[in-house]
Amino acid sequence: MPGTPTQDYRELMSTFPTGVAVVTGLDADGAPQGMTCSSIASATLLPPTLLVCLRTGSRTLSAVTARGSFAVNFLHDGGQEAAELFSRAEANRFSQVHWRMSQAGLPRLAQDAFAVAECKVSDVHMVGDHAVVLGEVTTIAQVPGTPLLYGLRRFAAWPIAAVRPGGRR
Ligand SMILES: Cc1cc2nc3c(=O)[nH]c(=O)nc-3n(C[C@H](O)[C@H](O)[C@H](O)COP(=O)(O)O)c2cc1C
C-alpha cells in the first residue's frame, strides 16, 4: 500500500546508501556546533565545491551562515557513536568527543573522522525545510581510513580495504 508522498520519499531515499559526516562550525558566540549529515554531494570541481543540506532551525546551520564557513568531518567506520551523538537532541555534543580547533577556527573531530574538508560558504538556497549550502573547499586533511556508511536505516562499514589519500589502495 502506498504511503503519503513524504513517507514514500523517505522510504525511497533509505535505499540510497551514503557516507556519513559531521558538519561543524563556530556560532556567533564562539561555541562549536555540529550535526550528523549524509546529504552531501560534490557540486563542482572548478572551483572545488561541495554541498550540504541542513535542516532549517538547526544551530549548526545558524553557525555556518553566521561565520560563512564550515568543516565536513568524514567519519570512518569507527565513528558510529559520533554519528549517533551528533544526531541526538543533546546540548553539549562536543564534551563527549575529542576535537580541536583548526588554524582556520573550525572544529575538527580528532578521532572519529578520516578526512576533513574546510569550506567557505559560497551560496545558500533555502528549499522547503532545509538549506542547501554550497561551500568552496579551502583545506583538505586526510589520513588512510575506511568510510562509515548509512543506508536502509543502518550504519555499516565499507567492505573493502582502507582507502589512502588520493584514492589509492
Ligand atoms: C545518518 C544520519 C544522517 C543525517 N543526515 C542529515 C542531513 O543530511 N541533513 C540534516 O539536516 N539532518 C540530518 N540528520 C539528522 C540530524 O543529524 C539531526 O536532526 C540533528 O539533531 C541536527 O542537529 P541540530 O539540532 O544541531 O541541527 C541525519 C541523521 C543521521 C543519523
Side-chain angles (χ1 to χ4, degrees):
M1 269 245 293
T4 65
T6 305
Q7 282 169 342
D8 289 349
Y9 178 69
R10 287 175 77 107
E11 200 59 41
L12 171 68
M13 295 315 295
S14 77
T15 67
F16 188 67
T18 64
V20 187
V22 174
V23 173
T24 58
L26 265 196
D27 69 18
D29 300 325
Q33 300 293 341
M35 68 187 278
T36 302
C37 190
S38 59
S39 297
I40 300 173
S42 172
T44 67
L45 198 53
L46 289 173
T49 301
L50 55 74
L51 67 80
V52 297
C53 301
L54 308 177
R55 69 173 187 89
T56 53
S58 155
R59 281 174 299 178
T60 306
L61 173 61
S62 301
V64 167
T65 53
R67 300 256 173 177
S69 61
F70 62 96
V72 182
N73 295 263
F74 294 85
L75 298 183
H76 57 61
D77 56 12
Q80 180 174 339
E81 277 183 27
E84 289 167 343
L85 170 67
F86 280 88
S87 67
R88 279 200 298 269
E90 185 122 0
N92 203 350
R93 296 165 178 167
F94 282 88
S95 67
Q96 297 176 55
V97 289
H98 294 278
W99 68 280
R100 67 179 182 81
M101 200 71 88
S102 76
Q103 277 187 349
L106 287 165
R108 284 190 183 185
L109 300 192
Q111 292 187 346
D112 299 294
F114 70 93
V116 183
E118 295 188 340
C119 304
K120 183 165 65 79
V121 173
S122 51
D123 216 340
V124 179
H125 296 269
M126 303 305 297
V127 184
D129 59 358
H130 278 63
V132 181
V133 182
L134 286 151
E136 186 173 336
V137 178
T138 52
T139 309
I140 294 176
Q142 193 172 0
V143 296
T146 49
L148 181 65
L149 306 180
Y150 190 73
L152 300 175
R153 302 198 175 90
R154 278 192 292 268
F155 292 96
W158 187 257
I160 58 171
V163 177
R164 293 178 195 281
R168 296 176 301 279
R169 242 179 269 140

